[in-house]
Amino acid sequence: MSRSLPSLNALRAFNEVARTLSVTRAAETLNVTHGAVSRQVRQLEGQLGVRLFRREGRGLAMTAEAEYLRASTSQAFEQLTQACGHVRRRAAGAPIVLGCSGSFLARWFIPRLPRLQAEYPDLNLHLTADEGEQWPLGPEVDAVMRFAEPPWPADARVIDLAPERIGPVMVPGMLETQASPEPGELLTLPLLHTESRDQAWPRWFTTQGLDAAEGRKDQSFEHLNYMLEAALVGLGVAIAPAYLVEEDLRTGRLVAPWGFIDTPARLGLWRPPGEPGREIDQLVQWLQRELGDQ
C-alpha cells in the first residue's frame, strides 16, 4: 500500500468542498473552475480508494471517511497558513504580535512596558487584545497569553508562566473591620460578577466551606475590566485575579481582606510549535522574571 501523500491541490480542493459542501462555492474560494474542483476531488477519491461525498437532496454530504479526513486537512491548512504568515512577517521585519485579554493588557502589561523597553530596547512588540480561545492562532498573531486549565492543545507550545490566584476585592470601609474577617461576612455585601468568569465566585465560596448558592448576583458585567471599575467606585465586591489588582492594592484603592486562592488555571504563553524567534524568547524571559516577583 502506497504511503505517498495525494497532491496538495487535491487535498485543498477537498477541504474547501468539505467546508462549504458546495463545489461551486469551493471553486469561487479557490479562484478556479467548477470542473477543476470536481476533477481534483475525483482524483483524491481514486488515490484513496474511497468515496468522499454523496448527493443529499440538492446538496452534498460527507461520507464517514470524508469527515475523518476533513478533521486533519482543516487543521493542517490552518497550521500551514499560520506558519507561512509568520515566516513572511518575520522576513519583512514585522513586530512580534502578542495577544492577551484587554483587562490583563490594561492593568498588568501596559504599566510594565517602560521596564520591558528599558531592558530590551530593540524588541519590536505589538500588543493586541485577545479575548477568545482560538487555536491555532491566526496568521497575524505570533503568541498569546491566556489563563487556562490544562490540558492544553497538543499542537501548542505552551510556556507555563504562573498560577492563577483569585480573591474578593473592594474599596476600604465596606466592612466595619478589615482585621481577619470571617468568610461569611462577605454574604452581607453586594457581590459583583462578570460573564467571562462565571465560575470564580462559586469556586471561592466552595474553598471557604460556604454554599455557592448563597452568593447573590447583585450586579453582572460583560467584561472583567468593567466589574473592577465598578468595585473601584464602591458598587460592591469583585472577584479578581491578583495580577490585575496588585497596583490598586498597593496604592490602597482596593483591599483584599480574605486574600487570594489558587485555581486550577495557569497563565501561559501560547505559541505555535517550532516557531523561530529570538525576540519571543527574550519576551518569555522577561515575563518569567516579572511574574516571579509577584
Side-chain angles (χ1 to χ4, degrees):
M1 181 180 294
S2 173
R3 295 178 61 85
S4 62
L5 284 173
S7 77
L8 188 62
N9 284 338
L11 288 169
R12 186 172 177 84
F14 159 77
N15 190 66
E16 282 302 315
V17 175
R19 185 180 68 85
T20 61
L21 292 179
S22 167
V23 174
T24 300
R25 289 199 294 274
E28 291 172 352
T29 300
L30 298 172
N31 198 28
V32 297
T33 65
H34 183 286
V37 172
S38 295
R39 285 193 298 275
Q40 292 285 2
V41 172
R42 287 198 302 270
Q43 175 188 337
L44 183 60
E45 289 177 325
Q47 290 175 315
L48 297 177
V50 296
R51 187 181 180 191
L52 296 172
F53 298 98
R54 65 177 184 274
R55 283 287 172 189
E56 193 170 90
R58 300 180 64 181
L60 294 176
M62 283 187 281
T63 63
E65 291 81 4
E67 294 274 8
Y68 179 79
L69 183 60
R70 161 68 174 158
S72 295
T73 59
S74 175
Q75 185 179 57
F77 279 114
E78 284 179 353
Q79 290 176 337
L80 282 170
T81 300
Q82 181 187 56
C84 291
H86 288 324
V87 171
R88 194 176 292 119
R89 290 192 304 107
R90 292 279 76 77
I96 296 171
V97 179
L98 175 68
C100 55
S101 71
S103 53
F104 191 86
L105 184 63
R107 293 180 172 273
W108 190 92
F109 212 120
I110 290 177
R112 287 168 173 76
L113 270 180
R115 292 211 292 265
L116 175 61
Q117 292 168 345
E119 189 165 349
Y120 295 109
D122 296 328
L123 180 63
N124 190 4
L125 180 67
H126 174 76
L127 298 170
T128 184
D130 174 84
E131 305 291 348
E133 299 179 355
Q134 177 186 357
W135 188 264
L137 302 176
E140 301 303 316
V141 179
D142 295 295
V144 294
M145 294 181 67
R146 287 179 179 165
F147 286 104
E149 295 183 23
W152 296 309
D155 60 337
R157 180 182 173 190
V158 180
I159 300 170
D160 192 341
L161 295 172
E164 180 187 55
R165 303 178 67 241
I166 62 171
V169 295
M170 58 189 177
V171 293
M174 290 195 74
L175 284 175
E176 292 185 5
T177 175
Q178 300 294 331
S180 302
E182 293 295 323
E185 293 185 48
L186 188 61
L187 298 174
T188 65
L189 302 173
L191 304 183
L192 307 178
H193 297 249
T194 176
E195 296 173 12
S196 62
R197 289 172 174 258
D198 58 357
Q199 291 303 309
W201 274 123
R203 178 168 284 157
W204 188 86
F205 277 116
T206 299
T207 62
Q208 304 301 315
L210 299 172
D211 184 357
E214 295 185 46
R216 306 176 316 280
K217 185 172 285 190
D218 295 291
Q219 181 71 59
S220 181
F221 297 88
E222 182 180 3
H223 296 297
L224 188 148
N225 222 21
Y226 301 160
M227 179 186 66
L228 291 177
E229 290 301 318
L232 283 165
V233 297
L235 290 182
V237 185
I239 183 83
Y243 300 111
L244 303 191
V245 293
E246 59 181 32
E247 182 63 16
D248 296 311
L249 295 176
R250 187 186 67 80
T251 59
R253 297 177 70 200
L254 293 175
V255 294
W258 296 276
F260 296 87
I261 62 168
D262 286 354
T263 79
R266 307 286 301 181
L267 175 62
L269 186 136
W270 298 34
R271 54 191 289 199
E275 158 115 15
R278 175 173 169 271
E279 295 96 338
I280 289 186
D281 292 336
Q282 292 176 337
L283 176 61
V284 168
Q285 293 168 8
W286 179 82
L287 288 169
Q288 289 172 330
R289 288 196 296 272
E290 288 290 318
L291 291 162
D293 293 337
Q294 304 302 307

